[in-house]
Amino acid sequence: MSFLRASSPHAHSALTTARVMQWVLLATLPGLAALTVFFGIGSLINIALACIFALLFEAAVLKLRKRNALIYLRDCSALVTAVLLGLALPPYCPWWVVMLGVFFAIVVAKHLFGGLGYNPFNPAMVGYVALLISFPVEMTQWAAPSTLSNASASFPPIVESLTHVFSHDTLDGYTAATPLEVLKLREGLTLDTLYTNEAIFNQARWAGVGWEWVNIGFLIGGIFLLYKRVFTWHAPVAMLATLTLCSFLFYDAGGSQSAGSPLFHLLSGGTMLGAFFILTDPVSSAVSNKGRLIFGGLAGVIIFVIRVWGIYPDAIAFAVLLMNFAAPFIDYYTVPRTYGHNRAHRVTKIKE
Amino acid sequence: MSENTEIQTSTQNNETTVDYKELTLNGLWKNNPALVQLLGLCPLLAVTGSVVNAMGLGLATMLVLMGSNIAVSLIRHAVTDAVRLPAFVMIIASFTTCTELLMQALTYELYQILGIFIPLIVTNCAILGRADAFASRNKVLPSAVDGFMMGLGFMFVLLAIGAIREIIGAGTLFADMQLLFGASAENWKITLFGDNYPGFLIAVLPPGAFLVAGLLIALKNIIDAQIQARAAKLKAKTVKGSKRVRTTGQIA
């Protein structure tokens, strides 16, 4: 009689890469719905374009690398990158902006470094940053939210928005400053005057028309993913905590020097998208729980610093990329205790 | 910094014969300062936003490299090992100052555009590297040729990066060449994508330089691998039916 011998790992879960990616895609739906309700179909067009380009680029690169394209396309990771980039881009941005962003994300940030699992940086954010520093005009034109009474029309009808995307004319009539930009360029007003005078604030509850609901949508999606145990709570909670702490410290009772209330920072810009969908990227973030706390916490600080004292209105992408740089360093000093040892190794042992 | 191949040739031949073909090949391709030794990356990445900037700095570097190689070779028997490096650096600094003054006199606008990167030629490791690894061990003429070829190889890479970045970043090629070649070069500018090309700013910014330099190195490695594969294919023809037993290597 012979024993059946199988090599480790003995415990396995049914969680495949494709399943995780599908859950992530599903979890973006509440936020995407809020974006569509308040800013029109621009984000849907972005995402559709990004997905098409992502699949094309992914297939082309896989072909160049002599890999089986179908196996790798089926894991949906390219789609997740495309959807996240499409959500981050301003609605109704020209098609070539989407194409270049996806090119940088899929080809440069992902496959030049060795494909899924080898990329040191979050692909979607690399694409976003490449676009942001290359095309500042196109990348800072956010559509005006639909319920703003001073906007002449709510948002462009479908045909018109498609011509905006595929022709070269700009979207002048439909753009408005985002809450973060309004707050930054307020020239010494107190927060109270700002909230009563600016349409984008006085028609909203906490952090600007549309934006608060977009962020709440992504928060709901994030909680769904936490419930599904797609990622641990450490990085997002740490990021939101330090962001809250920083904005509390510099709130200045809403005076003219105030950097905005904690609730404003939590519910504006890409905070929730960044916290739950970008920062939790399993490939480019820190790997241990302690490491993730440091990773997320420092990302929150960087976001606040760039938002308040930097020249860019929002900073999710920069913060994530800077922390991706730091992730191997953080991992080096946060090696967890291994089973059977009393104490954790202070650092990874280096072979002599 | 020191290159094994050169040390071997110079010690074996004991300063008698130098293969100029090998020198040329090393400078331009096999041991290219920018693509293989990865030396002098600071100017390489900083000023290659356009062809004219790249050419200006490439020429200046080549001048300093040749001059310092000749001078170092001339004094190679007079300096001891202990003061070798300070002496070389002094020589390089003098030639850099000469070049700076020359550029100030001949191409003042380009001198202003390149700014700090002209004095920084002193710190270009490629120059000190060649002085130490080649010129201090070889006669004057081979040293001069080596300096010229290394400088030429460096300039070719600068030009390639400059051209790619200018095309992608601004949609033009050979813009502002009058800064280097006088007024007749004013209409050398080629506009490639029409006048309303939005410009791809990342190519002009430092990250673009890293990206283009990385892709050029990859391209060189691909070409090298293909050359090697072709050579191996020609070599690998072993006679069939040979009964010699082999334990390693290719088996027929």
Side-chain angles (χ1 to χ4, degrees):
Chain A
M1 182 183 164
S2 65
F3 288 108
L4 189 68
R5 277 192 298 179
S7 68
S8 61
H10 302 291
H12 64 94
S13 79
L15 215 56
T16 59
T17 309
R19 176 55 58 82
V20 169
M21 295 296 170
Q22 282 157 12
W23 277 341
V24 174
L25 288 179
L26 191 68
T28 59
L29 286 182
L32 177 60
L35 273 173
T36 312
V37 168
F38 286 100
F39 300 102
I41 58 162
S43 292
L44 291 176
I45 301 175
N46 279 353
I47 289 175
L49 281 175
C51 287
I52 294 169
F53 286 128
L55 292 179
L56 286 179
F57 284 135
E58 178 102 348
V61 177
L62 286 170
K63 183 118 183 150
L64 276 178
R65 295 179 64 202
K66 302 189 179 74
R67 305 290 159 98
N68 187 338
L70 272 181
I71 292 176
Y72 287 91
L73 283 178
R74 227 177 277 154
D75 70 14
C76 297
S77 63
L79 281 183
V80 167
T81 301
V83 168
L84 292 179
L85 185 66
L87 290 170
L89 290 176
Y92 311 107
C93 66
W95 64 271
W96 49 269
V97 167
V98 184
M99 185 187 74
L100 284 172
V102 173
F103 175 81
F104 264 89
I106 299 288
V107 180
V108 177
K110 189 174 163 192
H111 280 292
L112 283 191
F113 285 93
L116 181 67
Y118 293 95
N119 46 313
F121 306 108
N122 186 308
M125 289 301 104
V126 172
Y128 184 82
V129 165
L131 292 176
L132 187 61
I133 60 175
S134 297
F135 310 108
V137 178
E138 284 83 1
M139 289 297 288
T140 46
Q141 284 187 330
W142 262 91
S146 62
T147 49
L148 275 194
S149 54
N150 61 353
S152 50
S154 53
F155 34 70
I158 294 174
V159 179
E160 202 182 331
S161 47
L162 282 175
T163 54
H164 281 308
V165 173
F166 288 102
S167 68
H168 215 80
D169 49 346
T170 49
L171 199 63
D172 280 337
Y174 299 105
T175 54
T178 61
L180 281 167
E181 287 164 352
V182 172
L183 188 84
K184 192 165 212 164
L185 305 171
R186 71 183 194 273
E187 288 168 349
L189 294 176
T190 61
L191 284 192
D192 274 342
T193 16
L194 195 71
Y195 270 65
T196 43
N197 291 344
E198 282 289 335
I200 199 159
F201 285 118
N202 64 23
Q203 294 174 24
R205 279 182 192 77
W206 309 291
V209 177
W211 288 91
E212 48 195 32
W213 289 108
V214 170
N215 274 285
I216 289 171
F218 284 124
L219 175 63
I220 294 169
I223 290 170
F224 165 74
L225 290 180
L226 269 181
Y227 169 73
K228 283 286 186 188
R229 298 194 186 181
V230 170
F231 47 76
T232 62
W233 56 269
H234 302 81
V237 169
M239 183 200 121
L240 297 178
T242 51
L243 188 60
T244 314
L245 184 74
C246 288
S247 46
F248 181 75
L249 286 177
F250 291 93
Y251 180 50
D252 198 21
S256 56
Q257 297 296 312
S258 170
S261 69
L263 203 55
F264 170 80
H265 277 287
L266 286 181
L267 293 181
S268 58
T271 307
M272 292 299 172
L273 180 69
F276 289 100
F277 292 88
I278 310 290
L279 212 57
T280 52
D281 175 12
V283 180
S284 58
S285 81
V287 287
S288 68
N289 286 343
K290 200 163 78 177
R292 281 179 189 150
L293 281 175
I294 300 170
F295 181 79
L298 287 178
V301 175
I302 296 175
I303 290 169
F304 185 78
V305 168
I306 299 180
R307 270 187 186 177
V308 177
W309 296 291
I311 51 164
Y312 286 100
D314 205 354
I316 305 292
F318 290 114
V320 170
L321 288 188
L322 285 171
M323 289 318 293
N324 286 345
F325 269 114
F329 181 71
I330 295 171
D331 285 339
Y332 190 80
Y333 286 101
T334 55
V335 180
R337 186 183 71 87
T338 40
Y339 184 73
H341 289 85
N342 289 328
R343 240 180 299 157
H345 291 299
R346 287 308 303 157
V347 291
T348 318
K349 274 183 186 157
I350 299 168
K351 278 177 196 157
E352 291 299 322
Chain B
M1 222 179 281
S2 62
E3 264 303 314
N4 294 333
T5 51
E6 265 91 31
I7 296 167
Q8 276 171 6
T9 50
S10 57
T11 46
Q12 278 171 3
N13 302 340
N14 205 12
E15 294 191 4
T16 45
T17 51
V18 173
D19 188 356
Y20 288 100
K21 200 179 152 198
E22 188 68 21
L23 275 187
T24 313
L25 202 61
N26 267 334
L28 296 186
W29 186 263
K30 268 200 218 156
N31 196 19
N32 187 300
L35 292 184
V36 181
Q37 306 178 52
L38 294 185
L39 294 177
L41 282 186
C42 164
L44 182 82
L45 299 169
V47 300
T48 50
S50 66
V51 173
V52 65
N53 288 2
M55 188 172 269
L57 195 89
L59 285 174
T61 311
M62 191 157 84
L63 212 64
V64 176
L65 194 49
M66 272 184 76
S68 76
N69 263 14
I70 292 172
V72 166
S73 177
L74 281 173
I75 61 157
R76 69 185 186 280
H77 297 302
V79 287
T80 57
D81 258 12
V83 294
R84 194 185 63 198
L85 288 179
F88 294 171
V89 171
M90 292 298 287
I91 290 168
I92 297 168
S94 326
F95 276 105
T96 308
T97 312
C98 295
T99 312
E100 193 182 351
L101 291 173
L102 269 177
M103 288 190 80
Q104 220 166 337
L106 299 174
T107 61
Y108 186 64
E109 276 178 77
L110 193 64
Y111 165 79
Q112 281 186 317
I113 293 171
L114 294 179
I116 185 69
F117 292 101
I118 301 171
L120 273 182
I121 293 175
V122 180
T123 61
N124 190 329
C125 305
I127 299 173
L128 189 60
R130 294 325 292 171
D132 191 37
F134 194 89
S136 65
R137 300 188 170 103
N138 285 285
K139 283 184 181 169
V140 177
L141 190 61
S143 299
V145 172
D146 178 73
F148 177 71
M149 284 308 165
M150 283 287 165
L152 202 63
F154 189 66
M155 189 166 83
F156 279 152
V157 177
L158 280 173
L159 284 179
I161 297 178
I164 294 171
R165 286 176 71 189
E166 194 179 335
I167 290 171
I168 299 174
T172 60
L173 196 58
F174 305 126
D176 295 328
M177 286 303 258
Q178 72 272 18
L179 296 179
L180 210 54
F181 292 99
S184 62
E186 221 159 316
N187 49 7
W188 286 11
K189 179 176 165 180
I190 307 167
T191 311
L192 285 149
F193 305 117
D195 286 327
N196 50 6
Y197 180 67
F200 199 11
L201 219 56
I202 197 169
V204 185
L205 294 170
F210 278 101
L211 285 172
V212 175
L215 291 175
L216 281 184
I217 293 171
L219 185 72
K220 180 185 179 293
N221 288 352
I222 291 173
I223 294 172
D224 277 348
Q226 274 177 354
I227 292 172
Q228 219 166 16
R230 205 172 296 158
K233 206 184 262 176
L234 288 177
K235 222 180 190 178
K237 277 179 186 160
T238 355
V239 189
K240 273 190 179 173
S242 146
K243 295 282 185 275
R244 234 175 77 205
V245 178
R246 294 190 189 182
T247 46
T248 56
Q250 288 221 321
I251 295 164

